[in-house]
């Protein structure tokens, strides 16, 4: 153990959280590794993040990042199709993956004594993946089915796809992560091979390991399995385009086979790298999410126009979003609901929050922080999301500090910048039989 | 009353889970939805605070009370930062022991619940689960949905709610779970503020068993317009969690359809690409369990996917699973088990499930050992002892045009269709 420790280089960054130390390392080939030791249970999470999501795709090839995520579970030069999952599952390791606008990640939740196995298999598929036409065709069918499930036969999916497209237009966030159906069909094997070469290099990847692991041994293990993977040219940097500035709000009404009307509203918000980003969560709590939040109380309890109201801040790289959802009661007028909501928002912008509201919102965000620090998986996701999106995992902890320290003036400054009616996008989905 | 504690000081966080045997199986006929309404009325006004004031106090401690109502029980889950526990207990003490059941709030809650019933119809997967339960438990207390029907909801009066609360919210009905950053006095603080304020009460008798249902395949097509894909649920009544066959059967079901590389997933998704999501599970009820398969194929694949599923189930019953799959399942279950107990809340959940399904709590620490002692013969014998593919209950939520192909499936004894917004018990077979 002493010898191992001596060979381990000092971390690039070390962050303390309570009694824990979270450390970042970078290998010579550019691969980054974040380790958070926690010996409270014999489990660990191993997440591999690539800095590529649907926001990196080119026109005509939407869905590429997500389809590729499916293909990563197929075959390598050392493992036949199906062996990757089978080997991990038999060892009690659960696997999954996700693709979004700025990233793709691959997750393993493992008994901590299986760390070496996971590192070996993950390094193998990063370096030795095999792609062929048959795999592409089968997985394309699965993805088409996934699209039918998540979008075409889901009102929420249809609304989400529509509002992102309407709000962002040709911006990198304007097309769906799962891809347009015709684009999914058009993706070729050459596209996949090129995509892998450009984006699945160690210099574009970060591994987050959280749980019952020894820091020094983990660093050594990662060096052992990943250190020889050659570095390659850096992935192309995305144009940091701001979302289109609108002069008036955009509204679209969808007639769908629905039982109840639903409204989605998208505001542009600060990106994850801007100081005001964290404050948007507080706005969401005060107006929409708290038990007694202003808009929730008005629409759900006082006027009984909605079953549910929520507001969610999306911490993205190129532009943040504040997305609101109003699930209305049958027969309710979405225009009336919007009118009342706007009146309430205007009143808030005039008066600002009370001290009690601000305390309540801080307490709610603090509880969410505690909840999200319980399992090793959610901690590995938080570290990876921030590190891949903002460039520094410590922003996860900083955002909490910013929220706890946020003053009423700072909150109102963020609220006035975000809650601009003229710049928002609205999609209302109403039952096909609706006259409105 | 039973209390289960999990102490862990890693985070300054505490979770409370109050379970009461006051679920929808106790709803009187014609008053379906009563258990649901009663549970949700508790935080809508107390002797000292209005609904709005209760919500405001909960916001101050940064939390909300999550209420879920099932057939056997009601669960109140609430969590907070440790420093906020005294404030939370102040609210909880009133909510649980001093609700006033304000008539205006009751009328509003009934309207809101009715709106929720409509809203749930916009989820095809939700509809499949809803109608599968209705079909599997047809004629039994577990059949009606927790929220009730439109007509039954309307008929619930304040007197009904007060009587239900008086009868079923007693100390004897509760199992209390406390997890997280708790010291030696927290247990008494929590109990004094909550369940000890209720009358003692008596233990409720067991729910009658779910009947096996008639022979033959029973298929319900829930029609919904403009569907290009269907939600499918296939299953049957199974054994309760306390049955000695439960663990061996769990091993078999895990190998059959419980993981990404299991037999069913390989056949439906990997080989044929018919469905993105697919899986099989065995749910441990207190008095009866449920075996259910689910997936979502395109319209053109629904009938062939069902045929294949029924063939696979027949083979499972007749031939059992090969050692390769069962050894895989044992390893998977044993090695995954640490994730069932890795956080205080997960550990508490596991213990509560054992308690609520009539199993000894010692099963948590003996889990790996128990799974390892399940032989191939045990697993195959357990699953074949209750699996009856020819009596499967099948729900398909999808386009009406599926009827032509579904009605031709071999072994169909009963075929019914209902629209997706059907309200009330299923039409007679």
């Amino acid at each position: 153990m002493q010898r191992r420790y001596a060979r381990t280089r000092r971390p690039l960054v070390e962050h303390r959280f309570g009694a824990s130390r979270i450390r970042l390392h970078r290998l010579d080939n550019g691969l980054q590794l974040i380790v958070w030791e926690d010996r409270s249970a014999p489990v660990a999470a191993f997440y591999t993040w690539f800095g590529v999501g649907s926001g990196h795709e080119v026109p005509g090839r939407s869905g590429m990042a997500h389809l590729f995520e499916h293909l990563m579970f197929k075959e390598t030069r050392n493992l036949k199709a199906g062996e990757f999952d089978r080997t991990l599952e038999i060892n009690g390791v659960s696997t999954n993956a996700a693709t979004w606008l700025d990233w793709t990640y691959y997750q393993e939740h493992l008994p901590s004594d299986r760390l070496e196995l996971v590192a070996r298999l993950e390094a193998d598929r990063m370096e030795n993946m095999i792609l062929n036409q048959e795999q592409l065709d089968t997985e394309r069918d699965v993805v088409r089915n996934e699209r039918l499930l998540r979008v075409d036969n889901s009102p929420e999916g249809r609304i989400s796809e529509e509002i992102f497209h309407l709000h962002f237009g040709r911006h990198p966030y304007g097309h769906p992560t799962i891809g347009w159906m015709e684009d999914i069909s058009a993706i070729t094997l050459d596209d996949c091979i090129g995509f892998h070469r450009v984006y699945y290099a160690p210099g574009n990847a970060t591994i987050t390991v959280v749980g019952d692991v020894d820091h020094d041994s983990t660093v050594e293990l990662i060096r052992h399995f990943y250190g020889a993977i050659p570095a390659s040219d850096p992935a192309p940097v995305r144009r940091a385009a701001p979302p289109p500035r609108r002069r008036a709000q955009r509204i679209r009404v969808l007639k769908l086979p629905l039982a109840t009307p639903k409204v989605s509203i998208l505001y542009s918000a600060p990106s994850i790298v801007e100081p005001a980003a964290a404050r948007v969560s507080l706005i969401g709590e005060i107006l929409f999410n708290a038990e007694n939040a202003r808009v929730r109380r008005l629409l759900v309890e006082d006027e009984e126009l909605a079953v549910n109201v929520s507001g969610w801040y999306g911490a993205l790289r190129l532009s943040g979003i504040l997305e609101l959802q109003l699930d209305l009661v049958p027969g309710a007028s979405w225009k009336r609901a919007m009118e009342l909501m706007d009146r309430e928002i205007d009143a808030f912008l005039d008066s600002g929050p009370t001290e009690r509201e601000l305390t309540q919102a801080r307490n709610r965000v603090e509880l969410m922080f505690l909840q999200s620090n319980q399992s090793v998986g959610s901690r590995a996701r938080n570290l990876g999301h921030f590190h891949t999106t903002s460039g520094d995992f410590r922003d996860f902890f900083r955002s909490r500090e910013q929220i706890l320290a946020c003053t009423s003036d700072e909150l109102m400054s963020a609220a006035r910048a975000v809650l601009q009616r003229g710049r928002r996008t609205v999609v209302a989905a109403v039952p096909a039989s609706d006259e409105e | 009353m039973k209390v289960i504690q999990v102490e862990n000081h890693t985070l300054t966080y505490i979770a409370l889970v109050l379970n009461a045997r006051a679920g929808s199986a106790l709803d009187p006929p014609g008053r379906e939805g009563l258990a649901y309404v009663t549970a949700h009325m508790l935080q809508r006004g107390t002797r000292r605070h209005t609904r709005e004031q209760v919500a405001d106090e909960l916001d101050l401690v940064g939390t909300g009370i999550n209420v879920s109502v099932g057939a056997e029980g009601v669960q109140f889950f609430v969590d907070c930062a440790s420093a906020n526990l005294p404030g939370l207990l102040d609210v909880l003490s009133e909510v649980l022991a001093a609700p006033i059941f304000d008539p205006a709030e009751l009328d509003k809650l009934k309207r809101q619940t009715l709106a929720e019933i409509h809203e749930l119809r916009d989820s095809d997967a939700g509809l499949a689960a809803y109608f599968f339960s209705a079909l599997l438990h047809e004629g039994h207390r577990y059949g009606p949905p927790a929220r009730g029907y439109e007509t039954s909801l309307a008929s619930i009066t304040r007197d009904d709610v007060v009587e239900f609360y008086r009868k079923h919210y007693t100390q004897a009905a509760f199992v209390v779970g406390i997890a997280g950053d708790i010291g030696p006095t927290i247990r008494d603080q929590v109990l004094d503020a909550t369940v000890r304020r209720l009358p003692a009460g008596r233990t409720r008798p067991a729910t009658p068993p779910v009947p096996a249902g008639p022979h033959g395949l029973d298929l319900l097509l829930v029609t919904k317009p403009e569907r290009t894909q269907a939600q499918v649920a296939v299953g049957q009544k199974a054994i309760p969690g306390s049955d000695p066959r439960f663990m061996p059967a769990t091993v078999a079901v895990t190998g059959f359809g419980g993981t990404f590389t299991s037999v069913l997933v390989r056949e439906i998704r990997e080989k044929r690409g018919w469905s993105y999501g697919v899986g099989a599970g065995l749910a441990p009820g207190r008095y009866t369990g449920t075996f259910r398969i689910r997936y979502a194929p395109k319209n053109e694949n629904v009938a062939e996917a069902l045929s294949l599923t029924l063939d696979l189930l027949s083979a499972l019953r007749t031939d059992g699973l090969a050692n390769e799959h069962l050894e895989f399942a044992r390893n998977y279950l044993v090695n995954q088990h640490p994730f069932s107990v890795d956080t205080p809340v997960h550990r508490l959940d596991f213990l509560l499930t054992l308690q609520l399904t009539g199993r000894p709590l010692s099963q948590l620490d003996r889990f790996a050992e128990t799974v390892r002692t399940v032989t191939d013969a045990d697993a195959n014998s357990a699953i074949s002892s209750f699996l009856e593919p020819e009596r499967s209950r099948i729900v398909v939520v999808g386009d009406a045009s599926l009827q032509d192909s579904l009605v031709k499936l071999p072994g169909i004894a009963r075929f019914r269709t209902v629209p997706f917004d059907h309200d009330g018990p299923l039409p007679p077979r």
Side-chain angles (χ1 to χ4, degrees), chain B residues 1-275:
Chain B
M1 176 177 51
K2 176 87 182 170
V3 184
I4 298 173
Q5 273 178 248
V6 176
E7 188 170 341
N8 182 305
H9 300 282
T10 310
L11 291 170
T12 53
Y13 169 87
I14 293 175
L16 306 179
V17 188
L18 308 178
N19 282 280
R21 284 196 68 200
S24 60
L26 296 172
D27 288 346
R31 294 287 189 277
E32 291 86 359
L34 180 57
Y36 183 92
V37 166
T38 305
H40 284 82
M41 276 303 290
L42 298 186
Q43 51 182 315
R44 288 180 170 248
T46 68
R47 284 202 283 273
R48 284 175 49 210
H49 292 106
T50 63
R51 181 207 60 74
E52 191 172 325
Q53 288 167 336
V54 168
D56 191 61
E57 291 298 324
L58 287 169
D59 280 337
L60 196 60
V61 293
T63 193
I65 303 174
N66 190 298
V67 183
S68 52
V69 182
E72 278 297 336
V74 176
Q75 185 180 86
F76 303 90
F77 177 95
V78 63
D79 56 356
C80 64
S82 321
N84 289 327
L85 184 67
L88 175 61
L89 291 181
D90 281 349
V91 185
L92 270 185
S93 64
E94 287 188 50
V95 163
L96 201 63
I100 56 167
F101 303 116
D102 175 65
E105 283 291 337
L106 175 61
D107 285 345
K108 183 162 72 173
L109 175 62
K110 285 160 60 178
R111 290 190 296 272
Q112 290 173 331
T113 306
L114 185 61
E116 285 173 11
I117 291 173
H118 285 270
E119 213 262 334
L120 289 169
R121 293 173 182 157
D122 286 333
S123 161
D124 293 6
L127 283 171
Y130 174 98
F131 281 104
F132 181 74
S133 178
L135 183 62
L136 187 65
H137 304 122
E138 198 169 5
H140 186 268
R141 289 179 187 182
Y142 289 172
R147 286 181 178 79
Y149 305 117
E150 294 181 28
T151 44
S152 67
L153 203 53
S155 69
I156 292 170
T157 66
R158 182 178 182 276
D159 286 347
D160 294 330
V161 175
V162 171
E163 177 61 12
F164 190 93
Y165 173 76
R166 191 192 62 74
K167 205 167 161 186
H168 301 297
Y169 281 73
T170 64
Q171 292 187 31
F174 272 85
V175 176
V176 177
I178 312 169
D181 182 24
I182 52 180
T185 61
I186 295 286
R187 173 194 166 105
D188 277 336
Q189 284 179 42
V190 170
L191 296 179
D192 287 346
T194 58
V195 182
R196 282 183 185 150
R197 293 180 175 232
L198 299 171
R202 278 181 299 183
T203 307
R204 189 162 59 79
T207 306
V210 175
H215 283 277
L217 296 178
D218 196 344
L219 197 151
L220 180 69
L221 173 61
V222 181
T223 58
K224 200 172 184 188
E226 297 180 38
R227 303 290 95 186
T228 51
Q229 183 183 47
Q231 286 284 343
V232 177
V234 184
Q236 61 162 86
K237 171 195 164 186
I239 49 180
S242 56
D243 191 301
R245 295 170 294 168
F246 186 78
M247 189 58 84
T250 298
V251 171
V253 171
T254 302
F256 176 72
T259 79
F260 197 70
T261 61
S262 57
V263 174
L264 181 72
V265 180
R266 205 180 289 178
E267 294 293 330
I268 298 279
R269 173 174 161 148
E270 292 302 307
K271 282 191 188 168
R272 296 170 177 84
W274 279 345
S275 177

Side-chain angles (χ1 to χ4, degrees), chain A residues 64 68 71 130-132 188-199:
Chain A
M64 180 71 238
F68 194 84
L71 293 170
I130 290 175
L131 291 162
N132 65 42
T188 66
L189 191 59
D190 282 348
D191 291 332
C192 297
I193 292 166
F195 185 86
H196 180 254
R197 190 177 56 244
V198 172
Y199 291 111

Side-chain angles (χ1 to χ4, degrees), chain A residues 120-183:
Chain A
R120 176 163 57 81
L121 295 195
E122 278 293 2
D124 180 49
R125 72 171 169 175
M126 186 188 282
E127 187 177 18
N128 300 313
M129 183 190 188
I130 290 175
L131 291 162
N132 65 42
Q133 190 63 45
E134 187 188 348
Q135 291 164 358
L136 174 60
D137 291 342
T138 309
E139 223 43 48
R140 196 199 310 273
D141 272 350
V142 172
V143 170
R144 284 188 185 119
N145 265 313
E146 186 180 352
R147 192 191 145 84
L148 291 178
L149 182 79
R150 293 192 193 279
V151 181
D152 301 60
N153 290 276
S154 158
E156 286 79 10
R158 294 270 299 270
I159 295 166
S160 177
E161 184 170 282
E162 186 71 30
I163 201 165
F164 270 77
H165 188 51
L166 194 60
H167 188 77
F168 285 106
R170 291 174 179 276
H171 183 273
Y173 295 164
H175 61 267
T177 294
I178 199 163
W180 304 113
M181 195 63 105
E182 60 271 26
D183 288 357

Side-chain angles (χ1 to χ4, degrees), chain A residues 89 92 259 292 304 356 363 371, chain B residues 56 60 79 122 259 261 336:
Chain A
E89 284 193 338
N292 231 4
E304 295 184 50
R356 188 174 173 90
N363 285 345
Q371 289 166 339
Chain B
D56 191 61
L60 196 60
D79 56 356
D122 286 333
T259 79
T261 61
Q336 265 287 297

Side-chain angles (χ1 to χ4, degrees), chain A residues 16 20 30 53 85 122 148 153 206 224 235 280 295 395 402:
Chain A
R16 286 186 179 272
S20 307
D85 280 318
E122 278 293 2
L148 291 178
N153 290 276
T206 301
H224 175 73
V280 184
V295 174
D395 287 340
Q402 286 166 350

